[in-house]
Amino acid sequence: MYISDIVGIFLLCAAVMLPLGYLLRDWFPRLRQWLSALLLSPLYLKSEGIRRRESITPADAKHEQKH
């Protein structure tokens, strides 16, 4: 494969993708919001709660006693 072939492929991809990206810039946020609402809705998520440490380290215990 010659360097002129690589440059030609690069220019062809740029000629296709740049106008396509310009046209989709308004649709992409709505599409992303729709997909996140569809896939990440509370129906599919499980509540795990907040993880907390049960034990207090000795340094924290000394600090807590002073207050």
mmCIF file of all heavy atoms in Angstrom, residues 32-46:
data_model
loop_
_atom_site.group_PDB
_atom_site.id
_atom_site.type_symbol
_atom_site.label_atom_id
_atom_site.label_comp_id
_atom_site.label_asym_id
_atom_site.label_seq_id
_atom_site.Cartn_x
_atom_site.Cartn_y
_atom_site.Cartn_z
ATOM 1 N N ARG A 32 -28.381 10.599 23.317
ATOM 2 C CA ARG A 32 -27.691 10.134 24.527
ATOM 3 C C ARG A 32 -28.622 10.145 25.733
ATOM 4 O O ARG A 32 -28.618 9.222 26.542
ATOM 5 C CB ARG A 32 -26.489 11.033 24.772
ATOM 6 C CG ARG A 32 -25.594 10.548 25.861
ATOM 7 C CD ARG A 32 -24.339 11.377 25.904
ATOM 8 N NE ARG A 32 -24.011 11.589 27.283
ATOM 9 C CZ ARG A 32 -23.405 12.625 27.780
ATOM 10 N NH1 ARG A 32 -23.042 13.595 26.997
ATOM 11 N NH2 ARG A 32 -23.131 12.721 29.043
ATOM 12 N N GLN A 33 -29.447 11.190 25.839
ATOM 13 C CA GLN A 33 -30.394 11.278 26.946
ATOM 14 C C GLN A 33 -31.443 10.168 26.850
ATOM 15 O O GLN A 33 -31.797 9.551 27.849
ATOM 16 C CB GLN A 33 -31.061 12.648 26.939
ATOM 17 C CG GLN A 33 -31.990 12.880 28.098
ATOM 18 C CD GLN A 33 -32.622 14.250 28.041
ATOM 19 O OE1 GLN A 33 -32.530 14.950 27.038
ATOM 20 N NE2 GLN A 33 -33.269 14.640 29.111
ATOM 21 N N TRP A 34 -31.907 9.885 25.650
ATOM 22 C CA TRP A 34 -32.896 8.834 25.449
ATOM 23 C C TRP A 34 -32.317 7.465 25.800
ATOM 24 O O TRP A 34 -32.978 6.655 26.460
ATOM 25 C CB TRP A 34 -33.385 8.863 24.000
ATOM 26 C CG TRP A 34 -34.356 7.779 23.696
ATOM 27 C CD1 TRP A 34 -35.678 7.729 24.047
ATOM 28 C CD2 TRP A 34 -34.076 6.563 23.008
ATOM 29 N NE1 TRP A 34 -36.230 6.559 23.594
ATOM 30 C CE2 TRP A 34 -35.275 5.813 22.951
ATOM 31 C CE3 TRP A 34 -32.940 6.037 22.414
ATOM 32 C CZ2 TRP A 34 -35.349 4.581 22.345
ATOM 33 C CZ3 TRP A 34 -33.023 4.799 21.804
ATOM 34 C CH2 TRP A 34 -34.213 4.095 21.779
ATOM 35 N N LEU A 35 -31.078 7.217 25.361
ATOM 36 C CA LEU A 35 -30.455 5.934 25.665
ATOM 37 C C LEU A 35 -30.189 5.757 27.156
ATOM 38 O O LEU A 35 -30.380 4.676 27.710
ATOM 39 C CB LEU A 35 -29.152 5.776 24.882
ATOM 40 C CG LEU A 35 -29.302 5.395 23.418
ATOM 41 C CD1 LEU A 35 -27.945 5.403 22.741
ATOM 42 C CD2 LEU A 35 -29.966 4.056 23.265
ATOM 43 N N SER A 36 -29.770 6.827 27.822
ATOM 44 C CA SER A 36 -29.520 6.714 29.258
ATOM 45 C C SER A 36 -30.824 6.521 30.018
ATOM 46 O O SER A 36 -30.871 5.791 31.006
ATOM 47 C CB SER A 36 -28.770 7.933 29.773
ATOM 48 O OG SER A 36 -29.577 9.078 29.712
ATOM 49 N N ALA A 37 -31.910 7.156 29.567
ATOM 50 C CA ALA A 37 -33.205 6.947 30.209
ATOM 51 C C ALA A 37 -33.711 5.528 29.970
ATOM 52 O O ALA A 37 -34.335 4.926 30.841
ATOM 53 C CB ALA A 37 -34.216 7.961 29.687
ATOM 54 N N LEU A 38 -33.420 4.985 28.812
ATOM 55 C CA LEU A 38 -33.863 3.633 28.487
ATOM 56 C C LEU A 38 -33.058 2.578 29.233
ATOM 57 O O LEU A 38 -33.611 1.647 29.813
ATOM 58 C CB LEU A 38 -33.749 3.389 26.978
ATOM 59 C CG LEU A 38 -34.152 2.011 26.478
ATOM 60 C CD1 LEU A 38 -35.658 1.824 26.639
ATOM 61 C CD2 LEU A 38 -33.737 1.845 25.037
ATOM 62 N N LEU A 39 -31.742 2.733 29.242
ATOM 63 C CA LEU A 39 -30.882 1.694 29.803
ATOM 64 C C LEU A 39 -30.588 1.867 31.283
ATOM 65 O O LEU A 39 -30.289 0.894 31.969
ATOM 66 C CB LEU A 39 -29.564 1.639 29.019
ATOM 67 C CG LEU A 39 -29.711 1.294 27.539
ATOM 68 C CD1 LEU A 39 -28.364 1.406 26.860
ATOM 69 C CD2 LEU A 39 -30.311 -0.067 27.348
ATOM 70 N N LEU A 40 -30.631 3.090 31.778
ATOM 71 C CA LEU A 40 -30.258 3.340 33.169
ATOM 72 C C LEU A 40 -31.447 3.746 34.029
ATOM 73 O O LEU A 40 -31.289 4.398 35.040
ATOM 74 C CB LEU A 40 -29.179 4.429 33.239
ATOM 75 C CG LEU A 40 -27.880 4.103 32.511
ATOM 76 C CD1 LEU A 40 -26.948 5.293 32.566
ATOM 77 C CD2 LEU A 40 -27.218 2.883 33.094
ATOM 78 N N SER A 41 -32.631 3.358 33.614
ATOM 79 C CA SER A 41 -33.813 3.712 34.383
ATOM 80 C C SER A 41 -33.811 2.946 35.706
ATOM 81 O O SER A 41 -33.179 1.895 35.827
ATOM 82 C CB SER A 41 -35.074 3.407 33.593
ATOM 83 O OG SER A 41 -35.195 2.033 33.383
ATOM 84 N N PRO A 42 -34.505 3.429 36.713
ATOM 85 C CA PRO A 42 -34.520 2.752 38.014
ATOM 86 C C PRO A 42 -35.041 1.319 37.962
ATOM 87 O O PRO A 42 -34.786 0.533 38.840
ATOM 88 C CB PRO A 42 -35.441 3.623 38.865
ATOM 89 C CG PRO A 42 -35.384 4.956 38.233
ATOM 90 C CD PRO A 42 -35.177 4.716 36.775
ATOM 91 N N LEU A 43 -35.756 0.986 36.906
ATOM 92 C CA LEU A 43 -36.250 -0.373 36.759
ATOM 93 C C LEU A 43 -35.110 -1.379 36.687
ATOM 94 O O LEU A 43 -35.222 -2.487 37.202
ATOM 95 C CB LEU A 43 -37.101 -0.464 35.487
ATOM 96 C CG LEU A 43 -37.663 -1.820 35.100
ATOM 97 C CD1 LEU A 43 -38.721 -2.240 36.101
ATOM 98 C CD2 LEU A 43 -38.241 -1.766 33.706
ATOM 99 N N TYR A 44 -34.006 -0.987 36.081
ATOM 100 C CA TYR A 44 -32.883 -1.899 35.876
ATOM 101 C C TYR A 44 -31.778 -1.749 36.919
ATOM 102 O O TYR A 44 -30.854 -2.534 36.932
ATOM 103 C CB TYR A 44 -32.279 -1.693 34.488
ATOM 104 C CG TYR A 44 -33.274 -1.957 33.397
ATOM 105 C CD1 TYR A 44 -33.801 -0.915 32.649
ATOM 106 C CD2 TYR A 44 -33.700 -3.241 33.130
ATOM 107 C CE1 TYR A 44 -34.729 -1.156 31.652
ATOM 108 C CE2 TYR A 44 -34.624 -3.500 32.130
ATOM 109 C CZ TYR A 44 -35.135 -2.450 31.404
ATOM 110 O OH TYR A 44 -36.044 -2.688 30.423
ATOM 111 N N LEU A 45 -31.851 -0.753 37.764
ATOM 112 C CA LEU A 45 -30.816 -0.531 38.766
ATOM 113 C C LEU A 45 -31.261 -1.075 40.109
ATOM 114 O O LEU A 45 -32.432 -1.009 40.465
ATOM 115 C CB LEU A 45 -30.502 0.957 38.898
ATOM 116 C CG LEU A 45 -29.943 1.634 37.653
ATOM 117 C CD1 LEU A 45 -29.741 3.109 37.932
ATOM 118 C CD2 LEU A 45 -28.638 0.997 37.245
ATOM 119 N N LYS A 46 -30.326 -1.598 40.859
ATOM 120 C CA LYS A 46 -30.628 -2.087 42.186
ATOM 121 C C LYS A 46 -29.990 -1.161 43.213
ATOM 122 O O LYS A 46 -28.857 -0.736 43.056
ATOM 123 C CB LYS A 46 -30.091 -3.507 42.371
ATOM 124 C CG LYS A 46 -30.782 -4.512 41.499
ATOM 125 C CD LYS A 46 -30.237 -5.897 41.756
ATOM 126 C CE LYS A 46 -30.951 -6.897 40.879
ATOM 127 N NZ LYS A 46 -30.425 -8.249 41.076
#
